[in-house]
């Protein structure tokens, strides 16, 4: 019998949701197991790094890597899988754009370590001990991965062939991606494996989206009653749909929640956060500074609202302190 193509899954700075989404393939996972040999998947199978190191270069057809790159271990594994794989897929928003972990780029390494190991209300650490990348104990050296000063998307570290967007990608998109990659009819390198249209185009509420909006205040989903049949922006709830790629089946909108932008921008948008920010800011009703500020003050977390998944790949990328 001919050998099946080999596939690997790996996680970097990730919440585990992308791993869970592979299991969400449900019975379709049997088809995947028929089509490929999974040779590395630390969350589910007991293969070791040395097993991958022993493989010939480019012997894995595809490695799906989720999570951003925050530590030296994640960088090392991404480079190893790049060397061993014909194709690398950045799987999910964190690998694609830095994702939620990328919001940490608002702070430098020192601020993060100080808060987590000294200042947070739940920390008891009178001696202010911090994890070190090298510690000597009884003549032995214990090592931990280095914690970098910046969170990076996967393609800021290794060459990426394709992007599977979403937080996490939907089972339908994953199945389509695997079918395409296994068919051998590969799309152009760098393709984001989801439709290149804005979410508003496929939103069930698109007919209720007005051409012109006039914002006096922005409402948050948890403290307003949202009409389930009306465009969320028209109700004053910030929805990133106009600046976000479709393909997610509008799952959040169907659950009466606004789009938060996890599929990233379409190919025509350079900076997702700047795009939606400028679209919204230009439609604030007030014209003088005081009334504009009053409206903007109703957005308590602008970076987390407009750059929830894309800060590391944005024009801003990181705050320099
Ligand atoms: S993309 Fe979303 S689900 Fe996947 S690891 Fe990042 S935060 Fe978790
Ligand atoms: S702004 Fe949001 S709710 Fe309105 S049409 Fe676009 S995706 Fe749908």
């Amino acid at each position: 019998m001919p050998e099946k193509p080999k596939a690997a899954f790996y996680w970097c700075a990730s919440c585990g949701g992308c791993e869970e989404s592979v299991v969400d393939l449900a019975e379709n996972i049997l088809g995947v197991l028929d089509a490929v040999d999974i040779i590395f998947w630390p969350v589910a199978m007991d293969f070791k790094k040395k097993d991958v190191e022993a493989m010939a270069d480019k012997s894995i057809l595809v490695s799906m890597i989720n999570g951003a790159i925050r530590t030296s271990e994640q960088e090392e594994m991404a480079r190893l899988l790049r060397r061993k794989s014909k194709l690398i897929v950045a799987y999910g928003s964190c690998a694609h754009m830095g994702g939620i972990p990328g919001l940490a780029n608002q702070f430098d390494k020192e601020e993060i370590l100080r808060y987590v190991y000294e200042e947070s209300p739940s920390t008891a650490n009178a001696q202010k001990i911090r994890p070190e990348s090298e510690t000597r104990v009884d003549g032995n050296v214990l090592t931990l991965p280095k914690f970098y000063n910046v969170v990076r998307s996967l393609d800021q570290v290794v060459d990426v062939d394709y992007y599977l967007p979403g937080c996490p990608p939907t089972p339908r998109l994953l199945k389509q991606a695997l079918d395409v990659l296994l068919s051998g009819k590969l799309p152009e390198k760098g393709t984001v494996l989801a439709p290149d249209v804005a979410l508003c185009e496929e939103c069930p509420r698109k007919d209720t989206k007005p051409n012109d909006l006039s914002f006096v205040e922005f409402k948050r989903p948890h403290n307003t009653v949202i009409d389930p049949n009306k465009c969320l922006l028209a109700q004053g709830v910030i929805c990133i749909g106009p600046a976000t790629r479709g393909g997610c089946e509008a799952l959040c909108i169907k659950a009466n929640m606004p789009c938060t932008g996890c599929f990233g921008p379409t190919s025509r948008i350079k900076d997702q956060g700047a795009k939606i920010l400028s679209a919204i800011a230009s439609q604030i009703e007030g014209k003088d500074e005081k009334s504009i500020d009053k409206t903007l003050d109703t957005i308590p977390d602008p970076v987390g609202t407009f750059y929830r998944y894309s800060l590391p790949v944005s024009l801003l990328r990181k705050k320099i302190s």
Side-chain angles (χ1 to χ4, degrees), residues 90 115 152 188 221 288:
Y115 185 77
R152 288 175 290 173
E188 192 184 339
D288 60 282

PDB file of all heavy atoms in Angstrom, residues 90 115 152 188 221 288:
ATOM      1  N   ALA A  90      -0.612  28.553   8.819  1.00  0.00           N
ATOM      2  CA  ALA A  90      -0.848  29.309  10.063  1.00  0.00           C
ATOM      3  C   ALA A  90      -2.306  29.100  10.415  1.00  0.00           C
ATOM      4  O   ALA A  90      -3.208  29.563   9.711  1.00  0.00           O
ATOM      5  CB  ALA A  90      -0.541  30.788   9.857  1.00  0.00           C
ATOM      6  N   TYR A 115       4.029  42.521  36.772  1.00  0.00           N
ATOM      7  CA  TYR A 115       2.630  42.410  37.176  1.00  0.00           C
ATOM      8  C   TYR A 115       2.294  40.974  37.585  1.00  0.00           C
ATOM      9  O   TYR A 115       1.722  40.733  38.645  1.00  0.00           O
ATOM     10  CB  TYR A 115       1.689  42.869  36.041  1.00  0.00           C
ATOM     11  CG  TYR A 115       0.253  42.859  36.505  1.00  0.00           C
ATOM     12  CD1 TYR A 115      -0.226  43.877  37.329  1.00  0.00           C
ATOM     13  CD2 TYR A 115      -0.598  41.798  36.194  1.00  0.00           C
ATOM     14  CE1 TYR A 115      -1.520  43.843  37.824  1.00  0.00           C
ATOM     15  CE2 TYR A 115      -1.889  41.752  36.688  1.00  0.00           C
ATOM     16  CZ  TYR A 115      -2.345  42.784  37.499  1.00  0.00           C
ATOM     17  OH  TYR A 115      -3.619  42.742  38.004  1.00  0.00           O
ATOM     18  N   ARG A 152       4.839  37.645  18.219  1.00  0.00           N
ATOM     19  CA  ARG A 152       4.876  37.702  16.751  1.00  0.00           C
ATOM     20  C   ARG A 152       3.870  36.724  16.139  1.00  0.00           C
ATOM     21  O   ARG A 152       3.592  35.668  16.721  1.00  0.00           O
ATOM     22  CB  ARG A 152       6.282  37.363  16.242  1.00  0.00           C
ATOM     23  CG  ARG A 152       7.297  38.478  16.514  1.00  0.00           C
ATOM     24  CD  ARG A 152       8.695  38.097  16.122  1.00  0.00           C
ATOM     25  NE  ARG A 152       9.252  37.081  17.007  1.00  0.00           N
ATOM     26  CZ  ARG A 152      10.410  36.475  16.818  1.00  0.00           C
ATOM     27  NH1 ARG A 152      11.149  36.778  15.758  1.00  0.00           N
ATOM     28  NH2 ARG A 152      10.845  35.553  17.658  1.00  0.00           N
ATOM     29  N   GLU A 188      -2.484  29.682  -4.733  1.00  0.00           N
ATOM     30  CA  GLU A 188      -1.272  30.516  -4.735  1.00  0.00           C
ATOM     31  C   GLU A 188      -0.712  30.641  -3.323  1.00  0.00           C
ATOM     32  O   GLU A 188      -1.486  30.784  -2.352  1.00  0.00           O
ATOM     33  CB  GLU A 188      -1.658  31.902  -5.258  1.00  0.00           C
ATOM     34  CG  GLU A 188      -0.486  32.787  -5.592  1.00  0.00           C
ATOM     35  CD  GLU A 188      -0.960  34.181  -6.007  1.00  0.00           C
ATOM     36  OE1 GLU A 188      -2.132  34.308  -6.408  1.00  0.00           O
ATOM     37  OE2 GLU A 188      -0.160  35.108  -5.894  1.00  0.00           O
ATOM     38  N   PRO A 221     -22.338  44.799  24.344  1.00  0.00           N
ATOM     39  CA  PRO A 221     -23.355  43.750  24.207  1.00  0.00           C
ATOM     40  C   PRO A 221     -23.977  43.325  25.532  1.00  0.00           C
ATOM     41  O   PRO A 221     -25.150  42.993  25.582  1.00  0.00           O
ATOM     42  CB  PRO A 221     -22.582  42.576  23.582  1.00  0.00           C
ATOM     43  CG  PRO A 221     -21.388  43.182  22.950  1.00  0.00           C
ATOM     44  CD  PRO A 221     -21.058  44.425  23.719  1.00  0.00           C
ATOM     45  N   ASP A 288     -17.566  68.845  17.569  1.00  0.00           N
ATOM     46  CA  ASP A 288     -16.535  69.519  18.367  1.00  0.00           C
ATOM     47  C   ASP A 288     -15.819  68.492  19.248  1.00  0.00           C
ATOM     48  O   ASP A 288     -16.340  67.400  19.505  1.00  0.00           O
ATOM     49  CB  ASP A 288     -17.162  70.627  19.227  1.00  0.00           C
ATOM     50  CG  ASP A 288     -18.188  70.056  20.171  1.00  0.00           C
ATOM     51  OD1 ASP A 288     -19.324  69.767  19.709  1.00  0.00           O
ATOM     52  OD2 ASP A 288     -17.850  69.841  21.345  1.00  0.00           O
TER      53      ASP A 288
END
